[in-house]
Amino acid sequence: MRKNSIDDLSASQLNLYESAQISKSKDDFTTAIDKLIEIYDEVQLNFINCEIVNLLFKEKRYREAKKYILLNPDVYLLNVDNIKLFVKVFLENADFILLRKTVTSFNDEKLKHEIFNEINVYELNYEKQFHDSLQSKVREFAHLGNYEFFKQKEILEASMKLPLDYFVKYGKYLLIDPFVHPLIKSSIVDTFREVNFKEIVSEYFIDGNVKKIKIANLKKLEETKSFKMIILKIDNSRLSKDPINKTMFLQYIKLNFMIIYPFNDILIKNINLWFEYFYNNFIGETFCADNDERNKINAMGTLILSIYSKILNV
């Protein structure tokens, strides 16, 4: 997307933009929005996007405003005015968890504190105003293990609109539910990390053991030692000369690593053998398990791949 400059408009687009400003001055926001969208469809400029979102917000067309923000979210984190607009739109859409994820990464502690207070107020009002529908969402989230994987995924996405206290309370419970899919558990844990949740939680892992997780110490998957090392291994392998298969293998590795997140660095010590295991399975060859270390890798790998295969029905 090009930068915020009126000089990027053609003569016809400039005429349309000026006409939109006239409509805007007459409080005819609907017409102004339509004209700005016509321009934006032709040339995706930051300042046009921001004007569209501002006017959509004024018109209480909050879902549409969010849609335009998501076309270029970074521009809404560049200055305080844009951040405040971003926050207002997400609050009106009740996207509490998604908003908290974004705000947690801010460096400005004062601004962060102000926004969190605002979110807390909105969450309390939401509980009062939409009590029945909220309880319905909470019940569905709390009983996630009753559903098959894709329904669990759908419910988890909807849970991003829950107030944080509800998400944390039932998310912790879901981590020890053996019927909640491992990928869903990984997503819950990663969400805890993103919202800066500090507690130690327990998870019923794929091997049947309950493991402790200190959320405050977690890194995202891409920053774990094992993931970075296996990416380096891939870059130095024969796959580096086969971009199509390399891309497919990267997707394959990432999904399998997400199945065991956040325990990757505990489980994956010998990168060479783990690379061999996954690569052999990827190309349909047998992994040689002729000693204790290889047997352990084969046993855990088989468990991981059985979950992977069920997701894709392969």
Side-chain angles (χ1 to χ4, degrees):
M1 181 175 289
R2 282 190 274 167
K3 291 186 178 180
N4 190 5
S5 174
I6 200 168
D7 294 334
D8 287 310
L9 297 177
S10 67
S12 60
Q13 290 163 352
L14 184 58
N15 286 336
L16 194 56
Y17 178 74
E18 290 171 351
S19 176
Q21 299 311 303
I22 293 170
S23 298
K24 181 178 170 182
S25 68
K26 296 177 179 177
D27 290 340
D28 184 2
F29 298 142
T30 300
T31 301
I33 290 167
D34 290 343
K35 291 172 181 177
L36 290 170
I37 288 175
E38 188 177 338
I39 297 169
Y40 194 76
D41 286 343
E42 295 178 3
V43 54
Q44 289 74 49
L45 295 169
N46 293 348
F47 80 101
I48 299 291
N49 182 292
C50 292
E51 285 202 41
I52 291 170
V53 171
N54 261 299
L55 292 176
L56 286 170
F57 185 83
K58 288 178 183 291
E59 288 285 272
K60 298 184 179 182
R61 292 159 61 178
Y62 303 126
R63 288 185 183 179
E64 291 175 76
K66 179 186 169 185
K67 182 187 80 171
Y68 276 93
I69 285 177
L70 292 178
L71 291 175
N72 188 24
D74 290 346
V75 76
Y76 289 89
L77 306 179
L78 295 176
N79 58 61
V80 173
D81 287 340
N82 280 5
I83 287 170
K84 287 182 177 179
L85 178 59
F86 177 97
V87 168
K88 288 191 292 186
V89 169
F90 272 66
L91 285 175
E92 291 296 344
N93 280 286
D95 284 309
F96 302 122
I97 302 297
L98 290 172
L99 182 55
R100 284 181 180 276
K101 286 182 184 183
T102 304
V103 176
T104 298
S105 67
F106 289 179
N107 294 320
D108 187 330
E109 292 299 325
K110 182 182 177 184
L111 179 62
K112 188 189 296 189
H113 180 71
E114 289 174 1
I115 296 172
F116 279 140
N117 284 340
E118 193 174 357
I119 296 171
N120 291 336
V121 170
Y122 262 78
E123 286 181 337
L124 287 171
N125 290 336
Y126 184 83
E127 286 184 65
K128 294 173 184 176
Q129 191 173 352
F130 303 103
H131 179 269
D132 291 344
S133 62
L134 174 59
Q135 292 307 312
S136 177
K137 288 178 185 176
V138 168
R139 280 194 298 273
E140 195 170 41
F141 183 54
H143 296 94
L144 209 59
N146 293 346
Y147 305 97
E148 50 83 29
F149 169 66
F150 289 103
K151 181 64 175 178
Q152 288 187 23
K153 188 170 180 288
E154 179 185 313
I155 294 170
L156 180 64
E157 288 171 359
S159 75
M160 295 298 109
K161 291 181 177 290
L162 292 177
L164 182 63
D165 288 349
Y166 288 93
F167 184 87
V168 167
K169 178 181 178 179
Y170 294 102
K172 288 194 294 184
Y173 165 75
L174 292 171
L175 291 178
I176 58 172
D177 184 344
F179 298 105
V180 174
H181 196 280
L183 281 177
I184 301 299
K185 290 181 180 179
S186 294
S187 294
I188 291 172
V189 169
D190 201 39
T191 299
F192 283 169
R193 177 190 65 79
E194 289 181 293
V195 298
N196 204 28
F197 183 56
K198 297 292 188 182
E199 289 185 23
I200 295 173
V201 298
S202 299
E203 179 180 331
Y204 183 89
F205 192 53
I206 61 174
D207 62 3
N209 294 312
V210 175
K211 299 178 183 288
K212 296 287 185 183
I213 306 169
K214 191 172 183 180
I215 302 295
N217 289 350
L218 290 185
K219 298 176 181 178
K220 66 179 180 179
L221 175 65
E222 293 80 2
E223 292 176 355
T224 58
K225 180 180 177 181
S226 54
F227 189 84
K228 289 194 286 189
M229 287 179 70
I230 207 156
I231 294 300
L232 184 62
K233 182 72 178 175
I234 292 168
D235 288 340
N236 292 325
S237 73
R238 70 186 73 173
L239 286 165
S240 63
K241 297 179 181 178
D242 185 353
I244 294 175
N245 270 321
K246 180 182 177 182
T247 299
M248 291 174 64
F249 187 65
L250 284 169
Q251 293 170 344
Y252 169 81
I253 282 290
K254 188 167 185 178
L255 184 54
N256 279 294
F257 271 43
M258 272 303 295
I259 288 170
I260 56 172
Y261 179 79
F263 306 106
N264 308 68
D265 287 352
I266 296 171
L267 295 171
I268 298 174
K269 298 293 188 182
N270 190 325
I271 291 296
N272 289 332
L273 287 184
W274 274 102
F275 174 82
E276 181 185 337
Y277 177 81
F278 281 119
Y279 184 70
N280 282 16
N281 278 278
F282 180 72
I283 63 176
E285 291 186 5
T286 303
F287 175 75
C288 179
D290 57 0
N291 60 40
D292 285 347
E293 185 177 18
R294 283 176 170 270
N295 276 323
K296 287 178 182 177
I297 289 172
N298 189 62
M300 179 55 69
T302 299
L303 190 54
I304 296 168
L305 287 179
S306 69
I307 295 166
Y308 172 85
S309 298
K310 286 177 184 175
I311 297 169
L312 303 180
N313 289 320
V314 296

